[in-house]
Amino acid sequence: MVHANQALLSIQLYPQMCAEVSQALQRLHMTIFSQSVSPCGKFLAAGNNYGQIAIFSLSAALSSEAKEESKKPMVTFHAHDGPVYSMVSTDRHLLSAGDGEVKGWLWAEILKKGCKELWHRQPPYRTSLEVPEINALLLVPKENSLILAGGDCQLHTMDLETGAFTRALRGHTDYIHCLALRDRSPEVLSGGEDGAVRLWDLRIAKEVQTIEVYKHEECSRPHNGRWIGCLATDSDWMVCGGGPALTLWHLRSSTPTTVFPIRAPQKHVTFYQDLILSAGQGCCVNHWQLSGELKAQVPGSSPGLLSLSLNQQPAAPECKVLTASGNSCRVDVFTNLGYRAFSMSF
């Protein structure tokens, strides 16, 4: 009778055990591609390769009374059938991109755990069979628009008020990895697998400058390829990297001014005060001076990093942190840029 009860108990527990093993394997093979901070600055959305978006409470995780449970998602929902490659936030919405589509979610409803999509849009692709990934999203606040780019080698502009696609910018010959906005002028930079950074003037919807990074001897690394995987801009300056070396450029003269001495291809870069922060292959967030000197290498918990997010929302100064994610189920939190304070986990 005892053995029969044990067997029955094992049968009853089997589905639960299978679910736990499946979840453990999923976390083991997880990649977090994208992050976005909420408009209030107190929450962080992270999107992974399984199409899930997790919402973390930064304010709870940073509280002096925080427990391990505070570093887990307050809500997780299935957003896309494929990976969540990119996300951005407006003053009310979270926008997420996957294979061939972008979706809108209302932050107010997400925080109430009502994770129902508000809308979804698909750019006008050349054929109905084409479902390219959307690798990058970029908000253009001055014209209330969203720019999408990815596997179809084009930049698509979507009017955020009407949801209509208003233009497509063509010039790249291979898929696009990254976008950046020049704040002082209606210009967008794009970088892709073809090895070119292209500058687009949104007023005339045309390409006005092309920098083929891999053709410059000081930047070229043929063994890594020509692809541009990350870029950022600050007025007349641009930093980009990928296959070619991470390099600071003066845009007006199309001149490389600083080549940063790092071998690993970089996947994300951003300007921060008088520094440049970069991350990519390897577990470290790199802090560079504009002169090219490596000021610090701060290790994280993931073997490779794909996304950095600086929370600079003035509404939540207590949540001013840097977060980093990549080839693991963890999001590292840096309260001070010099060290990792803790990690949040799916």
Side-chain angles (χ1 to χ4, degrees), residues 146-204:
L146 175 72
I147 295 182
L148 306 78
D152 73 338
C153 316
Q154 302 179 69
L155 284 73
H156 298 274
T157 302
M158 188 184 90
D159 185 303
L160 283 172
E161 186 172 343
T162 65
F165 287 94
T166 57
R167 62 187 167 218
L169 304 176
R170 301 178 180 91
H172 281 281
T173 58
D174 211 334
Y175 61 88
I176 301 166
H177 285 295
C178 44
L179 299 169
L181 177 68
R182 294 184 79 186
D183 287 333
R184 296 180 185 177
S185 57
E187 294 176 337
V188 169
L189 289 156
S190 59
E193 198 72 12
D194 58 6
V197 173
R198 302 180 189 273
L199 179 63
W200 310 84
D201 188 329
L202 298 181
R203 291 167 295 190
I204 57 176

Side-chain angles (χ1 to χ4, degrees), residues 31-51:
T31 296
I32 299 175
F33 285 109
S34 54
Q35 304 176 67
S36 184
V37 177
S38 65
C40 67
K42 295 182 179 181
F43 303 93
L44 178 74
N48 69 18
N49 55 319
Y50 300 114

Side-chain angles (χ1 to χ4, degrees), residues 13-27:
L13 291 175
Y14 183 73
Q16 180 183 343
M17 292 167 61
C18 287
E20 290 174 354
V21 169
S22 176
Q23 289 172 3
L25 287 171
Q26 192 178 64
R27 286 194 295 270

Side-chain angles (χ1 to χ4, degrees), residues 70-90:
S70 307
K71 299 165 188 174
K72 297 287 185 182
M74 54 180 286
V75 60
T76 301
F77 59 97
H78 191 83
H80 296 271
D81 290 337
V84 185
Y85 292 112
S86 184
M87 292 191 295
V88 293
S89 288
T90 69

Side-chain angles (χ1 to χ4, degrees), residues 150-311:
D152 73 338
C153 316
Q154 302 179 69
L155 284 73
H156 298 274
T157 302
M158 188 184 90
D159 185 303
L160 283 172
E161 186 172 343
T162 65
F165 287 94
T166 57
R167 62 187 167 218
L169 304 176
R170 301 178 180 91
H172 281 281
T173 58
D174 211 334
Y175 61 88
I176 301 166
H177 285 295
C178 44
L179 299 169
L181 177 68
R182 294 184 79 186
D183 287 333
R184 296 180 185 177
S185 57
E187 294 176 337
V188 169
L189 289 156
S190 59
E193 198 72 12
D194 58 6
V197 173
R198 302 180 189 273
L199 179 63
W200 310 84
D201 188 329
L202 298 181
R203 291 167 295 190
I204 57 176
K206 288 186 178 180
E207 180 182 342
V208 292
Q209 187 177 357
T210 304
I211 300 174
E212 294 179 297
V213 178
Y214 66 97
K215 289 186 177 179
H216 292 256
E217 186 177 352
E218 57 267 61
C219 312
S220 178
R221 300 190 299 190
H223 59 286
N224 284 334
R226 61 173 63 178
W227 55 278
I228 300 299
C230 62
L231 64 86
T233 184
D234 183 10
S235 187
D236 288 331
W237 298 91
M238 171 190 77
V239 61
C240 67
L246 187 70
T247 308
L248 181 67
W249 292 75
H250 185 249
L251 281 172
R252 287 191 180 180
S253 60
S254 298
T255 304
T257 61
T258 306
V259 179
F260 299 96
I262 186 167
R263 292 184 179 181
Q266 299 298 280
K267 302 293 184 66
H268 196 116
V269 67
T270 186
F271 286 93
Y272 177 67
Q273 296 179 355
D274 59 346
L275 295 174
I276 288 172
L277 307 180
S278 77
Q281 289 184 9
C283 65
C284 292
V285 178
N286 307 295
H287 301 185
W288 303 98
Q289 294 185 338
L290 299 181
S291 62
E293 181 183 345
L294 181 61
K295 186 175 181 181
Q297 275 192 315
V298 186
S301 63
S302 299
L305 294 173
L306 301 172
S307 171
L308 300 176
S309 176
L310 278 162
N311 183 5

